[in-house]
Each structure stands twice: as C-alpha cells, then as structure tokens.
Amino acid sequence: MPISEPEAEVRRDEPGQRPLLEVRGLRAGYRGVDILHGVDLTVGQGEIVCVVGPNGSGKSTVFKALYGLIDVREGSVLLDGEDITDYGPQRLLTTGIALVPQQPAIFPSMTVHENIELGMYLERDRGKIRGRVAEVFDLFPKLAARRSQQAGTLSGGERRALEIGRSLMLRPRLVLMDEPSVGLSPVLVREVFEQLRELRDAAGLTFLMIEQNAKSGLELSDRGYVIERGRVTYSGAGSELLGDDEVRRTFLGVGKDD
C-alpha cells in the first residue's frame, strides 16, 4: 500500500518498544548527487524486513549508507536508540551489525571450519573462537557435517549458508543481507530463505535484506519496503504488499487475477 496510508506492521518485539534499527530521513549518494531522498524505515527485534525495488532504485545505496560505505548527507541511523550514522564498517561490527555481501566471499581452498573461524579473525582467544564455531555448527548441522571439506566444493546454497554462519561469529544483533538469492536456483533460494526463517525463530536473529527477487523476498519477510527513485513508495506487511494490485503489477509482473 502507498506510504501515505498508515503502515501495517507485523512486529515481533513488544508493543511500544523502540525499533532495533531506525532510519530517519536518509539522504545519501555519490559525487555530490543524491540517490536517496529522505528514506525512512524501521526494523523490530526478531523481524525479517525486506527492501525491494527496480534496478537503479537505490536499494544498494541504502545498505552502503547504513554500513558506512558512503557519506550520509542528511538524516540519521539509530541502533537500539544509539546514533550510529557516522560509524564506519569496522566500528559497526562492534555495535552488533553484520553484513553478508552480494558477491561470494568464501575462500574456496580453505575448509568450511577455517572459513567460519575467519568471522573472528581479530580474536586471539582460541577458546572463545572454538565456542563460537560450535554455536554456528549447532545452527547449521549440514555445515558441521562438512567442516573438513573445502568450501569450494559446496553447493551454492551451502556457500550462502557458510557466509551467513561466518557473519554470526560475532553474535550480531542485526544481519544485513545484500541480494541473498543472487546466483541461486529457485530450489536453492527456497532453501536459503527457509534457513533464514529458522534462524530467526530458533536464535532470535534479526534480518534486513535487499532483494531483487521481490516475490520470494516478500514471502519470507514480516514487513517490506518498496523503493523507487530513492524514495519509499510502499510499505507494510510482506503478505499485504504481495496482495496489493499495484505492487503486483509494477514489481512482480503479474496482474490482478493472476
């Protein structure tokens, strides 16, 4: 539904509780040219929130601004009430925000176990590292069964799971996922997205993702935002956006009766 209407929110945190992530009036871009024109969005604790939109709409710019990869010219980003607008990527890691990038980021000649350990590459306490690795393998039993296997021999879905697992080594409060379905077959997309839902339910994780596959992303999500030309034009529960005729025609390529 258009954002001029009241936003329909499906929150997993308690009523009246402040959002885990709050973005207010975000304006950012490149070389003095704004790509984002006052973006507002929120993510509640334990939610899966998806940002969709056409190519060139500004989805990726939102993530770059959130993760301190480009300068924010106006607006603010709050994590659990703390202003983190000017934090860079290294400092953001210490606040509990992890990023799973769009491009594959595994080391194919290293084992699954070694790749997971790299999620705490600055940590010198081997006992702490072993404990965190065990936690990740508890969440990803398929990876645990392949811990000694070279990462380059995994399937596409397993590689994405490995990237997600590595991002959890620092016990993040919020995981940013950039186009998690890229390069995956429809079967693997369903597998990865189901895994995200299981992680949310089992471990209380919170996810904010941008996704080109709007239908799959909104089906997975508690809430969604549609961005066009650097502005949020629709927002609401994922299921309601999927049922909105205008969203379906414009972003899903289907008509009212499909």
Side-chain angles (χ1 to χ4, degrees):
M1 63 291 304
I3 60 170
S4 57
E5 298 179 12
E7 181 178 334
E9 295 186 343
V10 178
R11 290 293 177 80
R12 297 178 65 85
D13 49 1
E14 293 299 322
Q17 196 174 45
R18 69 186 174 199
L20 177 62
L21 180 74
E22 187 172 6
V23 177
R24 301 173 177 171
L26 200 63
R27 187 178 294 272
Y30 312 91
R31 299 186 182 91
V33 178
D34 285 340
I35 303 298
L36 305 179
H37 305 281
V39 168
D40 298 301
L41 61 84
T42 61
V43 182
Q45 177 68 45
E47 279 193 310
I48 300 176
V49 175
C50 185
V51 178
V52 301
N55 289 330
S57 62
K59 300 189 304 297
S60 294
T61 306
V62 171
F63 265 32
K64 289 176 181 177
L66 293 181
Y67 215 67
L69 299 175
I70 60 174
D71 291 333
V72 174
R73 284 192 272 276
E74 289 183 21
S76 59
V77 180
L78 305 178
L79 182 68
D80 202 15
E82 176 186 356
D83 192 331
I84 61 169
T85 310
D86 297 322
Y87 288 15
Q90 202 67 31
R91 191 176 178 189
L92 283 171
L93 276 176
T94 68
T95 69
I97 298 182
L99 173 66
V100 180
Q102 178 185 141
Q103 297 301 319
I106 67 165
F107 294 87
S109 63
M110 298 173 66
T111 67
V112 168
H113 188 281
E114 290 168 336
N115 269 271
I116 292 290
E117 283 190 325
L118 285 175
M120 292 182 73
Y121 69 96
L122 294 177
E123 179 61 58
R124 294 294 175 261
D125 186 332
R126 296 302 302 175
K128 183 181 290 187
I129 293 173
R130 285 194 295 271
R132 297 286 177 84
V133 170
E135 290 176 7
V136 170
F137 281 149
D138 282 344
L139 292 171
F140 295 89
K142 288 184 179 179
L143 292 182
R146 293 165 172 76
R147 68 181 67 208
S148 299
Q149 189 172 323
Q150 283 192 330
T153 64
L154 298 178
S155 69
E158 290 167 342
R159 293 186 189 194
R160 183 59 83 184
L162 177 56
E163 292 172 332
I164 299 168
R166 186 173 57 201
S167 77
L168 302 184
M169 285 289 285
L170 292 177
R171 292 178 177 165
R173 289 188 283 172
L174 173 66
V175 180
L176 305 180
M177 299 203 66
D178 188 355
E179 303 277 9
S181 73
V182 164
L184 300 181
S185 69
V187 171
L188 289 179
V189 169
R190 288 194 295 273
E191 179 181 308
V192 169
F193 281 9
E194 182 58 36
Q195 197 156 44
L196 294 182
R197 185 180 289 110
E198 291 173 357
L199 286 171
R200 189 272 308 279
D201 294 342
L205 292 172
T206 303
F207 293 96
L208 173 62
M209 55 189 253
I210 58 175
E211 182 52 65
Q212 187 63 35
N213 187 333
K215 185 174 185 294
S216 294
L218 292 175
E219 284 176 341
L220 168 71
S221 301
D222 298 303
R223 294 187 302 112
Y225 291 87
V226 177
I227 289 187
E228 297 178 85
R229 298 180 181 178
R231 293 181 172 84
V232 175
T233 53
Y234 297 85
S235 65
S239 58
E240 292 190 11
L241 290 176
L242 282 170
D244 185 279
D245 291 341
E246 187 61 30
V247 173
R248 286 163 59 82
R249 283 192 297 267
T250 306
F251 301 104
L252 306 182
V254 295
K256 181 176 180 179
D257 299 323
D258 291 322

